[in-house]
């Protein structure tokens, strides 16, 4: 007959053995997953959408993660690593999966530059601001210049799209568009004509100064588009430097100074 004390002794002995096995398995597992064969030695980079990567390179990725990527095949923190990879210039989004036994598959959604933003940044085709080396753009890159207060980039992208649509029948394009700190618009066209459009009631949600007295952006541009062909005919080839559209029933124009010819210069001497 097994006494109660013997049962307790057997239970304790079995528990100790079980704990010993667990400890051994844990130690063995720790030893195994930290073998050098599981160290991350390769990163395969692919475009997320199947397109060719134009700006992201293995070198730029390596520069971003150097000394910062922690863990091996088993222990790497994928969400934290994703954030690290997305700090690389030209990377908009990154997806990471493990590749047995020592690699990672990195799928990249690359930034698609749409415009220059203020002095050193760019805006992508989603209307988001990002920072990357502008010198890496193709030599034939023809991006407009956008300028504006922080947080106004989406509004400027919207207004740019409206301008392009309105100006297309005139064969005019936009080289630069600026929203001032007081939320007034200035536009430079691709023929060097500058448009002064004033404040925009559509920017009221962003504008801390209010939009009192502002004229509808669309109605201002429409007025310019309707008058421009007739105006160009009347000025008989003279170069218009600026069109001030801040008036409700018309606009003011400024001409470029008349060029001084070589013969005129000689006569003045």
């Amino acid at each position: 007959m097994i006494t109660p004390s013997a049962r307790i002794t057997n239970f304790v002995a079995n528990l100790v053995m079980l704990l010993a096995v667990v400890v051994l398995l844990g130690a063995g597992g720790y030893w195994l997953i930290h073998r050098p064969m599981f160290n991350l030695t390769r990163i395969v980079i692919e475009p997320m959408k199947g397109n060719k990567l134009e700006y992201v390179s293995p070198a730029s990725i390596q520069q971003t993660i150097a000394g910062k990527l922690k863990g091996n095949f088993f222990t790497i923190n994928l969400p934290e690593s994703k954030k690290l990879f997305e700090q690389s210039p030209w990377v908009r989004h990154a997806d990471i999966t493990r590749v047995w036994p020592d690699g990672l598959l990195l799928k990249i959604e690359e930034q698609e530059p749409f415009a220059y933003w203020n002095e050193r940044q760019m805006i992508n085709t989603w209307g988001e601001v990002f920072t990357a080396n502008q010198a890496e753009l193709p030599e034939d890159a023809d991006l407009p210049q956008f300028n504006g207060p922080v947080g106004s980039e989406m509004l400027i992208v919207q207004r740019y799209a409206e301008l392009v649509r309105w100006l297309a029948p005139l064969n005019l394009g936009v080289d630069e568009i600026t929203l001032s700190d007081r939320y007034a618009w200035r536009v430079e066209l691709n023929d060097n004509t500058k448009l002064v459009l004033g404040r925009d009631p559509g920017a009221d949600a962003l504008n801390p100064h209010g939009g009192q007295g502002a004229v509808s952006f669309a109605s201002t541009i429409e007025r310019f588009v309707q008058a421009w062909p007739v105006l160009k005919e009347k000025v008989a080839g003279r170069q218009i430097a600026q069109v001030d559209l801040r008036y409700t029933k018309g606009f003011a124009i400024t001409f470029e100074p008349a060029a001084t010819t070589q013969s005129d210069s000689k006569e003045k001497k």
Side-chain angles (χ1 to χ4, degrees), residues 134-169:
Q134 296 179 2
E136 296 177 9
L137 290 168
E139 292 184 2
D140 59 350
D142 186 19
L143 304 182
Q145 174 70 50
F146 293 171
N147 309 294
V150 174
S152 65
E153 52 269 15
M154 287 296 294
L155 176 63
I156 295 178
V157 169
Q158 177 186 338
R159 291 295 186 247
Y160 174 80
E162 294 174 21
L163 282 166
V164 169
R165 186 174 65 251
W166 277 105
L167 296 172

PDB file of all heavy atoms in Angstrom, residues 134-169:
ATOM      1  N   GLN A 134      17.406  64.740 -54.480  1.00  0.00           N
ATOM      2  CA  GLN A 134      16.837  65.171 -55.756  1.00  0.00           C
ATOM      3  C   GLN A 134      17.817  64.974 -56.909  1.00  0.00           C
ATOM      4  O   GLN A 134      17.409  64.885 -58.069  1.00  0.00           O
ATOM      5  CB  GLN A 134      16.411  66.634 -55.661  1.00  0.00           C
ATOM      6  CG  GLN A 134      15.297  66.880 -54.653  1.00  0.00           C
ATOM      7  CD  GLN A 134      14.894  68.330 -54.553  1.00  0.00           C
ATOM      8  OE1 GLN A 134      15.408  69.179 -55.263  1.00  0.00           O
ATOM      9  NE2 GLN A 134      13.978  68.632 -53.648  1.00  0.00           N
ATOM     10  N   ALA A 135      19.096  64.884 -56.597  1.00  0.00           N
ATOM     11  CA  ALA A 135      20.101  64.675 -57.644  1.00  0.00           C
ATOM     12  C   ALA A 135      19.975  63.296 -58.278  1.00  0.00           C
ATOM     13  O   ALA A 135      20.530  63.050 -59.358  1.00  0.00           O
ATOM     14  CB  ALA A 135      21.500  64.849 -57.069  1.00  0.00           C
ATOM     15  N   GLU A 136      19.233  62.381 -57.639  1.00  0.00           N
ATOM     16  CA  GLU A 136      19.050  61.042 -58.183  1.00  0.00           C
ATOM     17  C   GLU A 136      17.910  60.971 -59.195  1.00  0.00           C
ATOM     18  O   GLU A 136      17.695  59.925 -59.814  1.00  0.00           O
ATOM     19  CB  GLU A 136      18.799  60.054 -57.046  1.00  0.00           C
ATOM     20  CG  GLU A 136      19.986  59.899 -56.098  1.00  0.00           C
ATOM     21  CD  GLU A 136      19.696  58.967 -54.945  1.00  0.00           C
ATOM     22  OE1 GLU A 136      18.640  58.298 -54.968  1.00  0.00           O
ATOM     23  OE2 GLU A 136      20.514  58.896 -54.016  1.00  0.00           O
ATOM     24  N   LEU A 137      17.184  62.063 -59.366  1.00  0.00           N
ATOM     25  CA  LEU A 137      16.131  62.098 -60.375  1.00  0.00           C
ATOM     26  C   LEU A 137      16.752  62.041 -61.775  1.00  0.00           C
ATOM     27  O   LEU A 137      17.881  62.484 -61.977  1.00  0.00           O
ATOM     28  CB  LEU A 137      15.309  63.383 -60.243  1.00  0.00           C
ATOM     29  CG  LEU A 137      14.408  63.500 -59.020  1.00  0.00           C
ATOM     30  CD1 LEU A 137      13.905  64.931 -58.881  1.00  0.00           C
ATOM     31  CD2 LEU A 137      13.236  62.531 -59.108  1.00  0.00           C
ATOM     32  N   PRO A 138      16.034  61.486 -62.744  1.00  0.00           N
ATOM     33  CA  PRO A 138      16.556  61.477 -64.123  1.00  0.00           C
ATOM     34  C   PRO A 138      16.820  62.893 -64.618  1.00  0.00           C
ATOM     35  O   PRO A 138      16.168  63.848 -64.190  1.00  0.00           O
ATOM     36  CB  PRO A 138      15.424  60.811 -64.919  1.00  0.00           C
ATOM     37  CG  PRO A 138      14.612  60.070 -63.918  1.00  0.00           C
ATOM     38  CD  PRO A 138      14.718  60.826 -62.632  1.00  0.00           C
ATOM     39  N   GLU A 139      17.760  63.023 -65.519  1.00  0.00           N
ATOM     40  CA  GLU A 139      18.113  64.347 -66.045  1.00  0.00           C
ATOM     41  C   GLU A 139      16.938  65.019 -66.745  1.00  0.00           C
ATOM     42  O   GLU A 139      16.848  66.244 -66.783  1.00  0.00           O
ATOM     43  CB  GLU A 139      19.296  64.224 -67.008  1.00  0.00           C
ATOM     44  CG  GLU A 139      20.608  63.840 -66.336  1.00  0.00           C
ATOM     45  CD  GLU A 139      21.762  63.828 -67.313  1.00  0.00           C
ATOM     46  OE1 GLU A 139      21.531  64.154 -68.504  1.00  0.00           O
ATOM     47  OE2 GLU A 139      22.884  63.493 -66.896  1.00  0.00           O
ATOM     48  N   ASP A 140      16.039  64.216 -67.310  1.00  0.00           N
ATOM     49  CA  ASP A 140      14.898  64.786 -68.025  1.00  0.00           C
ATOM     50  C   ASP A 140      13.664  64.934 -67.130  1.00  0.00           C
ATOM     51  O   ASP A 140      12.561  65.201 -67.625  1.00  0.00           O
ATOM     52  CB  ASP A 140      14.556  63.926 -69.245  1.00  0.00           C
ATOM     53  CG  ASP A 140      14.208  62.485 -68.873  1.00  0.00           C
ATOM     54  OD1 ASP A 140      14.414  62.102 -67.700  1.00  0.00           O
ATOM     55  OD2 ASP A 140      13.735  61.738 -69.763  1.00  0.00           O
ATOM     56  N   ALA A 141      13.836  64.771 -65.836  1.00  0.00           N
ATOM     57  CA  ALA A 141      12.697  64.944 -64.928  1.00  0.00           C
ATOM     58  C   ALA A 141      12.210  66.386 -64.989  1.00  0.00           C
ATOM     59  O   ALA A 141      12.993  67.325 -64.845  1.00  0.00           O
ATOM     60  CB  ALA A 141      13.100  64.575 -63.511  1.00  0.00           C
ATOM     61  N   ASP A 142      10.937  66.569 -65.208  1.00  0.00           N
ATOM     62  CA  ASP A 142      10.357  67.907 -65.352  1.00  0.00           C
ATOM     63  C   ASP A 142       9.234  68.045 -64.322  1.00  0.00           C
ATOM     64  O   ASP A 142       8.054  67.918 -64.640  1.00  0.00           O
ATOM     65  CB  ASP A 142       9.837  68.112 -66.776  1.00  0.00           C
ATOM     66  CG  ASP A 142       9.354  69.530 -67.020  1.00  0.00           C
ATOM     67  OD1 ASP A 142       9.746  70.426 -66.234  1.00  0.00           O
ATOM     68  OD2 ASP A 142       8.573  69.740 -67.967  1.00  0.00           O
ATOM     69  N   LEU A 143       9.618  68.312 -63.082  1.00  0.00           N
ATOM     70  CA  LEU A 143       8.646  68.393 -61.997  1.00  0.00           C
ATOM     71  C   LEU A 143       8.325  69.854 -61.694  1.00  0.00           C
ATOM     72  O   LEU A 143       9.217  70.708 -61.687  1.00  0.00           O
ATOM     73  CB  LEU A 143       9.190  67.729 -60.730  1.00  0.00           C
ATOM     74  CG  LEU A 143       9.649  66.274 -60.836  1.00  0.00           C
ATOM     75  CD1 LEU A 143      10.109  65.781 -59.468  1.00  0.00           C
ATOM     76  CD2 LEU A 143       8.554  65.388 -61.388  1.00  0.00           C
ATOM     77  N   PRO A 144       7.067  70.173 -61.418  1.00  0.00           N
ATOM     78  CA  PRO A 144       6.739  71.532 -60.992  1.00  0.00           C
ATOM     79  C   PRO A 144       7.248  71.780 -59.577  1.00  0.00           C
ATOM     80  O   PRO A 144       7.507  70.844 -58.825  1.00  0.00           O
ATOM     81  CB  PRO A 144       5.211  71.550 -61.045  1.00  0.00           C
ATOM     82  CG  PRO A 144       4.812  70.118 -60.810  1.00  0.00           C
ATOM     83  CD  PRO A 144       5.878  69.289 -61.461  1.00  0.00           C
ATOM     84  N   GLN A 145       7.372  73.054 -59.235  1.00  0.00           N
ATOM     85  CA  GLN A 145       7.792  73.449 -57.890  1.00  0.00           C
ATOM     86  C   GLN A 145       6.571  73.886 -57.096  1.00  0.00           C
ATOM     87  O   GLN A 145       5.839  74.781 -57.515  1.00  0.00           O
ATOM     88  CB  GLN A 145       8.800  74.596 -57.962  1.00  0.00           C
ATOM     89  CG  GLN A 145       9.190  75.180 -56.613  1.00  0.00           C
ATOM     90  CD  GLN A 145      10.031  74.231 -55.786  1.00  0.00           C
ATOM     91  OE1 GLN A 145      11.025  73.691 -56.269  1.00  0.00           O
ATOM     92  NE2 GLN A 145       9.649  74.026 -54.537  1.00  0.00           N
ATOM     93  N   PHE A 146       6.330  73.236 -55.942  1.00  0.00           N
ATOM     94  CA  PHE A 146       5.242  73.627 -55.051  1.00  0.00           C
ATOM     95  C   PHE A 146       5.852  74.253 -53.796  1.00  0.00           C
ATOM     96  O   PHE A 146       6.820  73.735 -53.238  1.00  0.00           O
ATOM     97  CB  PHE A 146       4.393  72.424 -54.633  1.00  0.00           C
ATOM     98  CG  PHE A 146       3.609  71.778 -55.749  1.00  0.00           C
ATOM     99  CD1 PHE A 146       2.946  70.571 -55.538  1.00  0.00           C
ATOM    100  CD2 PHE A 146       3.521  72.354 -57.005  1.00  0.00           C
ATOM    101  CE1 PHE A 146       2.229  69.963 -56.551  1.00  0.00           C
ATOM    102  CE2 PHE A 146       2.805  71.754 -58.029  1.00  0.00           C
ATOM    103  CZ  PHE A 146       2.147  70.555 -57.796  1.00  0.00           C
ATOM    104  N   ASN A 147       5.244  75.349 -53.332  1.00  0.00           N
ATOM    105  CA  ASN A 147       5.686  76.009 -52.095  1.00  0.00           C
ATOM    106  C   ASN A 147       4.458  76.302 -51.247  1.00  0.00           C
ATOM    107  O   ASN A 147       3.430  76.762 -51.762  1.00  0.00           O
ATOM    108  CB  ASN A 147       6.416  77.325 -52.404  1.00  0.00           C
ATOM    109  CG  ASN A 147       7.512  77.159 -53.439  1.00  0.00           C
ATOM    110  OD1 ASN A 147       8.504  76.487 -53.218  1.00  0.00           O
ATOM    111  ND2 ASN A 147       7.322  77.783 -54.600  1.00  0.00           N
ATOM    112  N   GLY A 148       4.572  76.068 -49.943  1.00  0.00           N
ATOM    113  CA  GLY A 148       3.443  76.357 -49.085  1.00  0.00           C
ATOM    114  C   GLY A 148       3.711  76.022 -47.633  1.00  0.00           C
ATOM    115  O   GLY A 148       4.722  75.401 -47.304  1.00  0.00           O
ATOM    116  N   PRO A 149       2.801  76.419 -46.748  1.00  0.00           N
ATOM    117  CA  PRO A 149       2.943  76.114 -45.327  1.00  0.00           C
ATOM    118  C   PRO A 149       2.826  74.609 -45.076  1.00  0.00           C
ATOM    119  O   PRO A 149       2.245  73.872 -45.874  1.00  0.00           O
ATOM    120  CB  PRO A 149       1.762  76.859 -44.682  1.00  0.00           C
ATOM    121  CG  PRO A 149       1.305  77.846 -45.700  1.00  0.00           C
ATOM    122  CD  PRO A 149       1.604  77.236 -47.025  1.00  0.00           C
ATOM    123  N   VAL A 150       3.371  74.171 -43.962  1.00  0.00           N
ATOM    124  CA  VAL A 150       3.271  72.768 -43.578  1.00  0.00           C
ATOM    125  C   VAL A 150       1.796  72.373 -43.467  1.00  0.00           C
ATOM    126  O   VAL A 150       0.980  73.094 -42.880  1.00  0.00           O
ATOM    127  CB  VAL A 150       3.985  72.523 -42.231  1.00  0.00           C
ATOM    128  CG1 VAL A 150       3.764  71.090 -41.754  1.00  0.00           C
ATOM    129  CG2 VAL A 150       5.472  72.817 -42.358  1.00  0.00           C
ATOM    130  N   GLY A 151       1.440  71.245 -44.060  1.00  0.00           N
ATOM    131  CA  GLY A 151       0.065  70.755 -44.003  1.00  0.00           C
ATOM    132  C   GLY A 151      -0.807  71.179 -45.173  1.00  0.00           C
ATOM    133  O   GLY A 151      -1.951  70.736 -45.284  1.00  0.00           O
ATOM    134  N   SER A 152      -0.254  72.028 -46.057  1.00  0.00           N
ATOM    135  CA  SER A 152      -1.067  72.522 -47.173  1.00  0.00           C
ATOM    136  C   SER A 152      -0.806  71.753 -48.464  1.00  0.00           C
ATOM    137  O   SER A 152      -1.374  72.084 -49.504  1.00  0.00           O
ATOM    138  CB  SER A 152      -0.774  74.009 -47.410  1.00  0.00           C
ATOM    139  OG  SER A 152       0.562  74.201 -47.835  1.00  0.00           O
ATOM    140  N   GLU A 153       0.029  70.712 -48.409  1.00  0.00           N
ATOM    141  CA  GLU A 153       0.452  70.051 -49.646  1.00  0.00           C
ATOM    142  C   GLU A 153      -0.698  69.428 -50.429  1.00  0.00           C
ATOM    143  O   GLU A 153      -0.742  69.487 -51.657  1.00  0.00           O
ATOM    144  CB  GLU A 153       1.537  69.005 -49.353  1.00  0.00           C
ATOM    145  CG  GLU A 153       1.194  68.018 -48.273  1.00  0.00           C
ATOM    146  CD  GLU A 153       1.631  68.469 -46.892  1.00  0.00           C
ATOM    147  OE1 GLU A 153       1.942  69.666 -46.706  1.00  0.00           O
ATOM    148  OE2 GLU A 153       1.643  67.619 -45.978  1.00  0.00           O
ATOM    149  N   MET A 154      -1.676  68.830 -49.733  1.00  0.00           N
ATOM    150  CA  MET A 154      -2.791  68.198 -50.448  1.00  0.00           C
ATOM    151  C   MET A 154      -3.641  69.239 -51.171  1.00  0.00           C
ATOM    152  O   MET A 154      -4.100  69.006 -52.288  1.00  0.00           O
ATOM    153  CB  MET A 154      -3.654  67.394 -49.471  1.00  0.00           C
ATOM    154  CG  MET A 154      -3.007  66.104 -48.986  1.00  0.00           C
ATOM    155  SD  MET A 154      -2.735  64.906 -50.323  1.00  0.00           S
ATOM    156  CE  MET A 154      -4.411  64.503 -50.788  1.00  0.00           C
ATOM    157  N   LEU A 155      -3.836  70.393 -50.535  1.00  0.00           N
ATOM    158  CA  LEU A 155      -4.599  71.471 -51.176  1.00  0.00           C
ATOM    159  C   LEU A 155      -3.868  71.972 -52.414  1.00  0.00           C
ATOM    160  O   LEU A 155      -4.481  72.219 -53.458  1.00  0.00           O
ATOM    161  CB  LEU A 155      -4.822  72.615 -50.187  1.00  0.00           C
ATOM    162  CG  LEU A 155      -5.516  73.859 -50.759  1.00  0.00           C
ATOM    163  CD1 LEU A 155      -6.920  73.529 -51.229  1.00  0.00           C
ATOM    164  CD2 LEU A 155      -5.544  74.986 -49.725  1.00  0.00           C
ATOM    165  N   ILE A 156      -2.542  72.096 -52.328  1.00  0.00           N
ATOM    166  CA  ILE A 156      -1.774  72.587 -53.471  1.00  0.00           C
ATOM    167  C   ILE A 156      -1.824  71.584 -54.618  1.00  0.00           C
ATOM    168  O   ILE A 156      -1.958  71.966 -55.790  1.00  0.00           O
ATOM    169  CB  ILE A 156      -0.320  72.882 -53.052  1.00  0.00           C
ATOM    170  CG1 ILE A 156      -0.309  74.038 -52.055  1.00  0.00           C
ATOM    171  CG2 ILE A 156       0.547  73.218 -54.266  1.00  0.00           C
ATOM    172  CD1 ILE A 156       1.057  74.395 -51.522  1.00  0.00           C
ATOM    173  N   VAL A 157      -1.742  70.302 -54.304  1.00  0.00           N
ATOM    174  CA  VAL A 157      -1.860  69.278 -55.351  1.00  0.00           C
ATOM    175  C   VAL A 157      -3.219  69.374 -56.029  1.00  0.00           C
ATOM    176  O   VAL A 157      -3.336  69.288 -57.265  1.00  0.00           O
ATOM    177  CB  VAL A 157      -1.652  67.868 -54.758  1.00  0.00           C
ATOM    178  CG1 VAL A 157      -2.025  66.793 -55.768  1.00  0.00           C
ATOM    179  CG2 VAL A 157      -0.204  67.674 -54.313  1.00  0.00           C
ATOM    180  N   GLN A 158      -4.260  69.600 -55.240  1.00  0.00           N
ATOM    181  CA  GLN A 158      -5.615  69.726 -55.798  1.00  0.00           C
ATOM    182  C   GLN A 158      -5.715  70.949 -56.705  1.00  0.00           C
ATOM    183  O   GLN A 158      -6.239  70.867 -57.829  1.00  0.00           O
ATOM    184  CB  GLN A 158      -6.625  69.834 -54.657  1.00  0.00           C
ATOM    185  CG  GLN A 158      -8.062  70.054 -55.126  1.00  0.00           C
ATOM    186  CD  GLN A 158      -9.018  70.295 -53.961  1.00  0.00           C
ATOM    187  OE1 GLN A 158      -8.735  69.924 -52.828  1.00  0.00           O
ATOM    188  NE2 GLN A 158     -10.141  70.937 -54.244  1.00  0.00           N
ATOM    189  N   ARG A 159      -5.193  72.070 -56.236  1.00  0.00           N
ATOM    190  CA  ARG A 159      -5.268  73.294 -57.040  1.00  0.00           C
ATOM    191  C   ARG A 159      -4.407  73.165 -58.302  1.00  0.00           C
ATOM    192  O   ARG A 159      -4.770  73.677 -59.365  1.00  0.00           O
ATOM    193  CB  ARG A 159      -4.805  74.493 -56.203  1.00  0.00           C
ATOM    194  CG  ARG A 159      -5.769  74.863 -55.085  1.00  0.00           C
ATOM    195  CD  ARG A 159      -7.083  75.331 -55.656  1.00  0.00           C
ATOM    196  NE  ARG A 159      -7.980  75.834 -54.645  1.00  0.00           N
ATOM    197  CZ  ARG A 159      -9.125  75.262 -54.290  1.00  0.00           C
ATOM    198  NH1 ARG A 159      -9.484  74.121 -54.884  1.00  0.00           N
ATOM    199  NH2 ARG A 159      -9.901  75.799 -53.374  1.00  0.00           N
ATOM    200  N   TYR A 160      -3.293  72.500 -58.199  1.00  0.00           N
ATOM    201  CA  TYR A 160      -2.446  72.277 -59.379  1.00  0.00           C
ATOM    202  C   TYR A 160      -3.212  71.487 -60.437  1.00  0.00           C
ATOM    203  O   TYR A 160      -3.169  71.833 -61.630  1.00  0.00           O
ATOM    204  CB  TYR A 160      -1.179  71.527 -58.963  1.00  0.00           C
ATOM    205  CG  TYR A 160      -0.296  71.118 -60.130  1.00  0.00           C
ATOM    206  CD1 TYR A 160       0.561  72.033 -60.726  1.00  0.00           C
ATOM    207  CD2 TYR A 160      -0.327  69.820 -60.625  1.00  0.00           C
ATOM    208  CE1 TYR A 160       1.369  71.669 -61.794  1.00  0.00           C
ATOM    209  CE2 TYR A 160       0.473  69.445 -61.697  1.00  0.00           C
ATOM    210  CZ  TYR A 160       1.318  70.370 -62.278  1.00  0.00           C
ATOM    211  OH  TYR A 160       2.104  69.999 -63.330  1.00  0.00           O
ATOM    212  N   ALA A 161      -3.907  70.444 -60.014  1.00  0.00           N
ATOM    213  CA  ALA A 161      -4.689  69.636 -60.961  1.00  0.00           C
ATOM    214  C   ALA A 161      -5.766  70.478 -61.636  1.00  0.00           C
ATOM    215  O   ALA A 161      -6.020  70.348 -62.843  1.00  0.00           O
ATOM    216  CB  ALA A 161      -5.317  68.451 -60.234  1.00  0.00           C
ATOM    217  N   GLU A 162      -6.390  71.374 -60.872  1.00  0.00           N
ATOM    218  CA  GLU A 162      -7.412  72.247 -61.447  1.00  0.00           C
ATOM    219  C   GLU A 162      -6.785  73.201 -62.470  1.00  0.00           C
ATOM    220  O   GLU A 162      -7.345  73.442 -63.545  1.00  0.00           O
ATOM    221  CB  GLU A 162      -8.102  73.037 -60.335  1.00  0.00           C
ATOM    222  CG  GLU A 162      -8.920  72.173 -59.370  1.00  0.00           C
ATOM    223  CD  GLU A 162      -9.452  72.996 -58.207  1.00  0.00           C
ATOM    224  OE1 GLU A 162      -9.533  74.226 -58.338  1.00  0.00           O
ATOM    225  OE2 GLU A 162      -9.762  72.390 -57.167  1.00  0.00           O
ATOM    226  N   LEU A 163      -5.630  73.749 -62.122  1.00  0.00           N
ATOM    227  CA  LEU A 163      -4.949  74.669 -63.042  1.00  0.00           C
ATOM    228  C   LEU A 163      -4.578  73.982 -64.348  1.00  0.00           C
ATOM    229  O   LEU A 163      -4.784  74.533 -65.441  1.00  0.00           O
ATOM    230  CB  LEU A 163      -3.689  75.219 -62.377  1.00  0.00           C
ATOM    231  CG  LEU A 163      -3.888  76.326 -61.341  1.00  0.00           C
ATOM    232  CD1 LEU A 163      -2.617  76.522 -60.521  1.00  0.00           C
ATOM    233  CD2 LEU A 163      -4.273  77.635 -62.038  1.00  0.00           C
ATOM    234  N   VAL A 164      -4.025  72.783 -64.238  1.00  0.00           N
ATOM    235  CA  VAL A 164      -3.626  72.042 -65.443  1.00  0.00           C
ATOM    236  C   VAL A 164      -4.834  71.820 -66.349  1.00  0.00           C
ATOM    237  O   VAL A 164      -4.756  71.978 -67.576  1.00  0.00           O
ATOM    238  CB  VAL A 164      -2.958  70.704 -65.053  1.00  0.00           C
ATOM    239  CG1 VAL A 164      -2.791  69.811 -66.268  1.00  0.00           C
ATOM    240  CG2 VAL A 164      -1.606  70.960 -64.399  1.00  0.00           C
ATOM    241  N   ARG A 165      -5.954  71.471 -65.750  1.00  0.00           N
ATOM    242  CA  ARG A 165      -7.160  71.220 -66.541  1.00  0.00           C
ATOM    243  C   ARG A 165      -7.668  72.500 -67.218  1.00  0.00           C
ATOM    244  O   ARG A 165      -8.015  72.489 -68.402  1.00  0.00           O
ATOM    245  CB  ARG A 165      -8.249  70.625 -65.641  1.00  0.00           C
ATOM    246  CG  ARG A 165      -9.499  70.203 -66.398  1.00  0.00           C
ATOM    247  CD  ARG A 165     -10.492  69.490 -65.502  1.00  0.00           C
ATOM    248  NE  ARG A 165     -11.026  70.363 -64.473  1.00  0.00           N
ATOM    249  CZ  ARG A 165     -10.724  70.269 -63.175  1.00  0.00           C
ATOM    250  NH1 ARG A 165      -9.867  69.348 -62.758  1.00  0.00           N
ATOM    251  NH2 ARG A 165     -11.262  71.092 -62.297  1.00  0.00           N
ATOM    252  N   TRP A 166      -7.686  73.600 -66.475  1.00  0.00           N
ATOM    253  CA  TRP A 166      -8.178  74.855 -67.023  1.00  0.00           C
ATOM    254  C   TRP A 166      -7.252  75.410 -68.102  1.00  0.00           C
ATOM    255  O   TRP A 166      -7.706  75.998 -69.094  1.00  0.00           O
ATOM    256  CB  TRP A 166      -8.323  75.896 -65.902  1.00  0.00           C
ATOM    257  CG  TRP A 166      -9.585  75.809 -65.109  1.00  0.00           C
ATOM    258  CD1 TRP A 166      -9.736  75.321 -63.841  1.00  0.00           C
ATOM    259  CD2 TRP A 166     -10.889  76.221 -65.520  1.00  0.00           C
ATOM    260  NE1 TRP A 166     -11.034  75.397 -63.441  1.00  0.00           N
ATOM    261  CE2 TRP A 166     -11.774  75.949 -64.444  1.00  0.00           C
ATOM    262  CE3 TRP A 166     -11.391  76.792 -66.685  1.00  0.00           C
ATOM    263  CZ2 TRP A 166     -13.132  76.239 -64.508  1.00  0.00           C
ATOM    264  CZ3 TRP A 166     -12.752  77.084 -66.748  1.00  0.00           C
ATOM    265  CH2 TRP A 166     -13.603  76.803 -65.673  1.00  0.00           C
ATOM    266  N   LEU A 167      -5.941  75.254 -67.915  1.00  0.00           N
ATOM    267  CA  LEU A 167      -4.971  75.879 -68.825  1.00  0.00           C
ATOM    268  C   LEU A 167      -4.667  75.047 -70.066  1.00  0.00           C
ATOM    269  O   LEU A 167      -4.071  75.558 -71.013  1.00  0.00           O
ATOM    270  CB  LEU A 167      -3.667  76.146 -68.067  1.00  0.00           C
ATOM    271  CG  LEU A 167      -3.759  77.148 -66.910  1.00  0.00           C
ATOM    272  CD1 LEU A 167      -2.452  77.160 -66.135  1.00  0.00           C
ATOM    273  CD2 LEU A 167      -4.098  78.543 -67.422  1.00  0.00           C
ATOM    274  N   ALA A 168      -5.050  73.789 -70.065  1.00  0.00           N
ATOM    275  CA  ALA A 168      -4.739  72.912 -71.199  1.00  0.00           C
ATOM    276  C   ALA A 168      -5.225  73.471 -72.536  1.00  0.00           C
ATOM    277  O   ALA A 168      -4.485  73.426 -73.532  1.00  0.00           O
ATOM    278  CB  ALA A 168      -5.307  71.515 -70.954  1.00  0.00           C
ATOM    279  N   PRO A 169      -6.442  74.015 -72.630  1.00  0.00           N
ATOM    280  CA  PRO A 169      -6.883  74.560 -73.931  1.00  0.00           C
ATOM    281  C   PRO A 169      -6.022  75.724 -74.424  1.00  0.00           C
ATOM    282  O   PRO A 169      -6.031  76.037 -75.621  1.00  0.00           O
ATOM    283  CB  PRO A 169      -8.323  75.018 -73.646  1.00  0.00           C
ATOM    284  CG  PRO A 169      -8.755  74.223 -72.464  1.00  0.00           C
ATOM    285  CD  PRO A 169      -7.529  74.065 -71.636  1.00  0.00           C
TER     286      PRO A 169
END
